Amino acid sequence: MHYELSFKMIERDYKAFLQDGFYVSPKTDTSLHKHNYTEVHVIGEGRVEFRIDNHTLTVVGPAILTIPAPHMHCCTYQDENLLHIAYQTDCQADQLRTYPVEAGIVKTFFDEIQRCRFTGNYSSVALYIPLFCSLYRQEHIGVTEIKDYNFLISEFFILNYDKDVYLSDLAEQLHISERHAERLVLQYTGHSFREELVAVRMRIANQLMQAENASLEQIAKYVGYRSYSGFWKAMKRFESKKAQ
């Protein structure tokens, strides 16, 4: 079976072409050939030699080799226990070059390939191909700064409810004024900054009281209160407001 995978980077969408899943030469020597697309060789471990145009190139894993079109090439030697696959992609490389790859990433990549050969589902491999392409394209893999204030505000309270935090801390993290930060908290939570902090603390405290064999003093400290009395007063005020 031949497969076509689609993957996305910031610049545009790309495709990878997998021949018989992934092309792996069963022979030591392959015929001299060229492609219309960049051919990417992933070497997990061992050594493989290539003839590329009129030159010989040796690659030792873990590494990737990019062979742009229209270089003539073939594999002339490979170690007996070599881990080696190749695919073509329209995410074109500008030059013939080898790139080192972290060994753990390559190992999990080859483990995933083995699973794909049994299941016939190669979609999970699309997670790795953009990573290899980013080595030679010098592009980000669709990673941009988070601008979703709803997510950022929610995560701020979840990660900081047990600390002494203030509106100024949130404003500094979001790189905005305190006034703007207060408006955003009200917009996305329906509460002021202090009210939302207490609400998150009380939600966690209630979960702990139901699931943990802990004293109220321990729970109070866990959710950010320095004393049990402060925690108890905050809980009473919170419960009375909910009942209104």
Side-chain angles (χ1 to χ4, degrees), residues 29 51 77 81 96 98 114 116 127 139 164 169 209 212 233:
D29 193 10
R51 178 186 170 189
Y77 171 83
N81 297 318
L96 173 70
T98 59
Q114 285 300 109
C116 291
L127 299 173
E139 284 184 37
D164 287 328
D169 298 312
M209 283 187 282
E212 298 289 337
K233 290 177 183 177

Side-chain angles (χ1 to χ4, degrees), residues 25-85:
S25 172
K27 304 182 295 181
T28 300
D29 193 10
T30 59
S31 301
L32 200 61
H33 61 281
K34 64 179 180 180
H35 302 292
N36 293 325
Y37 296 106
T38 291
E39 186 168 86
V40 179
H41 291 259
V42 183
I43 295 89
E45 60 182 49
R47 178 171 64 98
V48 58
E49 290 183 359
F50 296 90
R51 178 186 170 189
I52 302 174
D53 296 329
N54 294 319
H55 304 283
T56 299
L57 178 66
T58 300
V59 183
V60 178
I64 69 168
L65 165 68
T66 57
I67 305 178
H71 286 286
M72 297 290 294
H73 61 279
C74 67
C75 176
T76 59
Y77 171 83
Q78 58 188 35
D79 288 343
E80 183 177 351
N81 297 318
L82 179 74
L83 283 178
H84 171 213
I85 64 93

